[in-house]
Amino acid sequence: MIRVSNASVCAMEFTSFKKKTEVSDDELLFAVLRFERQLTQVEGIVYQCLVRNYDNEYANVLFATSMETIKSLEAVIGNTKETQDFFSMVEMNSVQVEYHEINKPDFALPEYFGCIEKGKFSLKDSNQQTALLLASDAVEDTYLNQYENTKGHFISRRDENQYAEIVLGQTLGSTKEICYGYFENIACLSLLDLIDESSMNLGFWYVVG
């Protein structure tokens, strides 16, 4: 992981992938470390980390001050040896890139987090974005902030009526336990009531580098 600055962030890129079977975990990790050192050259990049889930998938997570900064990376460092070495270890047909517009003004990343909970969804009524953000604030104020494990929380917009709730937690275990408690909290149930249940996709990722 690398922190370039402490600036507020308004964009996140979440790129998941699987490594090639002949590539060891350590080889991938060291390649990512070489890749991420380039990010200190890119104005607007704030933080990068590598995460993993229980399905043996990895994800490269970038936070930046603007979406334009994230989308400019290919032009800036796409052809470097460090980037190409990293890409050579990845099963390219497994790559999924998500761009997240963070819907929380002046959001600052915590000093440390060890886990990312990412719940993707659509709204039952696409005109309910304001209600979604208000419900998210209530969940944070009355539930998530009661736990020391919660280090950060926001709603992001991925596309037309496509959103995600992101929780940055200290540990994977506590973050999962708190998430499953949503069904016992009134504010959380109000948030869930806005969501099209068939669109929900919940994932937990732990930081490895």
Side-chain angles (χ1 to χ4, degrees):
M1 68 186 71
I2 187 168
R3 184 185 293 269
V4 181
S5 78
N6 292 315
S8 298
V9 296
C10 64
M12 179 181 79
E13 178 187 308
F14 195 100
T15 302
S16 60
F17 61 90
K18 290 189 175 182
K19 68 176 180 64
K20 293 178 178 177
T21 54
E22 66 270 22
V23 174
S24 72
D25 292 335
D26 284 348
E27 286 173 327
L28 177 67
L29 180 60
F30 297 153
V32 170
L33 291 174
R34 291 190 292 271
F35 163 78
E36 72 177 13
R37 290 181 188 124
Q38 303 174 102
L39 299 177
T40 59
Q41 309 166 29
V42 183
E43 185 176 357
I45 294 295
V46 174
Y47 189 89
Q48 183 271 347
C49 64
L50 182 70
V51 297
R52 189 176 185 177
N53 66 15
Y54 282 169
D55 294 323
N56 204 29
E57 297 173 317
Y58 291 86
N60 195 55
V61 187
L62 280 169
F63 290 94
T65 57
S66 71
M67 190 63 72
E68 290 75 16
T69 294
I70 289 175
K71 292 188 176 181
S72 73
L73 283 177
E74 183 175 356
V76 177
I77 62 173
N79 293 319
T80 65
K81 182 181 185 302
E82 292 85 354
T83 299
Q84 293 305 312
D85 285 347
F86 173 27
F87 288 173
S88 72
M89 299 183 180
V90 172
E91 291 286 359
M92 296 307 293
N93 62 357
S94 72
V95 175
Q96 297 185 43
V97 183
E98 297 174 3
Y99 296 109
H100 294 251
E101 176 186 323
I102 297 173
N103 291 161
K104 189 170 188 177
D106 302 317
F107 179 70
L109 288 166
E111 182 177 347
Y112 170 81
F113 61 91
C115 169
I116 299 177
E117 172 198 330
K118 179 166 64 76
K120 299 188 292 184
F121 61 88
S122 298
L123 294 171
K124 292 176 183 175
D125 180 348
S126 61
N127 296 314
Q128 290 283 70
Q129 181 177 0
T130 299
L132 170 64
L133 297 179
L134 290 173
S136 173
D137 288 343
V139 167
E140 188 172 310
D141 292 340
T142 68
Y143 184 65
L144 290 175
N145 283 350
Q146 308 306 308
Y147 297 93
E148 290 185 6
N149 182 79
T150 303
K151 302 304 179 184
H153 172 253
F154 59 84
I155 296 292
S156 65
R157 182 179 182 273
R158 299 180 295 121
D159 206 338
E160 187 68 30
N161 196 29
Q162 293 184 26
Y163 299 90
E165 184 189 29
I166 307 293
V167 176
L168 306 177
Q170 183 165 334
T171 69
L172 178 65
S174 292
T175 303
K176 277 191 170 186
E177 183 179 41
I178 293 165
C179 174
Y180 296 151
Y182 269 41
F183 297 101
E184 300 174 358
N185 179 274
I186 293 175
C188 297
L189 289 172
S190 296
L191 172 64
L192 294 174
D193 190 53
L194 297 170
I195 294 173
D196 175 2
E197 186 175 346
S198 67
S199 71
M200 293 180 68
N201 182 285
L202 181 62
F204 296 89
W205 303 76
Y206 56 94
V207 176
V208 293

